[in-house]
């Protein structure tokens, strides 16, 4: 028995000696943590409020400039199409798979999206997230729950929201799925 074990182990020992030490091998760990997901959600809420504040102080141009930075930072349009279905859109422009479509939704003013008035320009004063669940599987994460927006008049609008995230090459979370809709109300 000892003889057969040595035959099995010897090639493994030789193979291990031929491989570089573990410390010498670059590792890309794209595992996502719950804390990263929650921070990304809070960042999204704060960015929405900041875009509205930029609009109040500097008009649509200021809001658009900030919204472009937010979209470039938070969404994965540089990775490919983002599956973005905003709350208040209508056919034929319900889905916003391009950065231009997302920008138009948040700040309006794009003749290619004439029905967009700018969701981020509505003067929201609070944005709160209440997750129903988070699903994290290594390098991707999804959330589902509600986001509540408080308007200047104190009225709260709550939407059903699903986000999915992946990490980019720099290790930053990127939204690749964003589905938002008004809750179904019984008739």
């Amino acid at each position: 028995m000892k003889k057969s074990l040595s035959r099995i182990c010897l090639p493994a020992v030789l193979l291990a000696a031929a491989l570089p030490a573990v410390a010498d091998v670059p590792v890309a760990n794209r595992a996502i943590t719950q804390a990263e997901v929650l921070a990304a959600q809070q960042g999204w809420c704060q960015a929405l409020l900041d875009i509205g504040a930029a609009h109040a102080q500097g008009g649509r141009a200021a809001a658009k400039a900030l919204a472009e930075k937010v979209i470039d930072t938070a969404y994965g349009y540089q990775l490919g199409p983002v599956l973005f279905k905003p709350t208040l859109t209508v056919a034929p422009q319900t889905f916003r798979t391009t950065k231009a479509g997302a920008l138009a939704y948040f700040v309006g003013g794009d003749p290619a999206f004439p029905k967009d008035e700018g969701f981020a320009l509505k003067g929201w004063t609070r944005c709160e997230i209440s997750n129903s669940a988070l699903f994290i599987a290594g390098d991707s994460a999804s959330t589902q729950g509600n986001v509540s927006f408080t308007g200047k008049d104190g009225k709260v609008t709550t939407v059903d929201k699903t986000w999915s995230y992946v990490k980019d090459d720099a290790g930053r979370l990127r939204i690749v799925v964003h589905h938002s809709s008004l809750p179904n109300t019984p008739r």
Side-chain angles (χ1 to χ4, degrees):
M1 191 67 135
K2 228 179 193 179
K3 190 174 181 183
S4 63
L5 276 178
S6 66
R7 285 184 186 168
I8 293 170
C9 294
L10 186 58
V13 169
L14 292 174
L15 180 61
L19 293 175
V22 173
D24 296 338
V25 177
V27 175
N29 182 356
R30 294 195 177 177
I32 296 174
T33 68
Q34 180 177 352
E36 288 175 310
V37 172
L38 297 176
Q41 289 180 314
Q42 291 304 316
W44 185 92
C45 270
Q46 188 58 55
L48 182 77
L49 299 177
D50 291 348
I51 293 167
H55 178 255
Q57 293 176 355
R60 188 181 307 269
K64 182 178 179 183
L66 180 55
E68 285 178 317
K69 290 178 186 172
V70 167
I71 291 167
D72 286 343
T73 302
Y75 287 84
Y77 286 105
Q78 67 277 39
L79 304 173
V82 171
L83 308 180
F84 182 15
K85 190 281 178 197
T87 310
L88 304 173
T89 56
V90 295
Q93 296 178 323
T94 302
F95 304 103
R96 304 304 172 91
T97 58
T98 65
K99 178 182 169 183
L103 184 61
Y105 180 74
F106 286 119
V107 297
D110 185 336
F113 299 89
K115 295 183 181 181
D116 287 353
E117 297 175 10
F119 183 77
L121 309 184
K122 293 185 177 291
W124 305 114
T125 61
R126 287 187 79 176
C127 176
E128 298 176 290
I129 297 166
S130 176
N131 287 313
S132 174
L134 281 76
F135 182 88
I136 301 172
D139 64 353
S140 67
S142 296
T143 67
Q144 190 171 57
N146 298 112
V147 178
S148 298
F149 305 96
T150 304
K152 292 180 272 190
D153 59 359
K155 182 181 174 193
V156 176
T157 301
T158 299
V159 299
D160 297 337
K161 183 85 70 183
T162 300
W163 278 303
S164 291
Y165 303 89
V166 298
K167 279 192 176 177
D168 66 12
D169 289 340
R172 291 184 299 255
L173 285 192
R174 299 293 185 157
I175 299 168
V176 293
V177 174
H178 174 163
H179 180 98
S180 184
S181 57
L182 293 170
N184 186 26
T185 53
R187 293 181 190 197

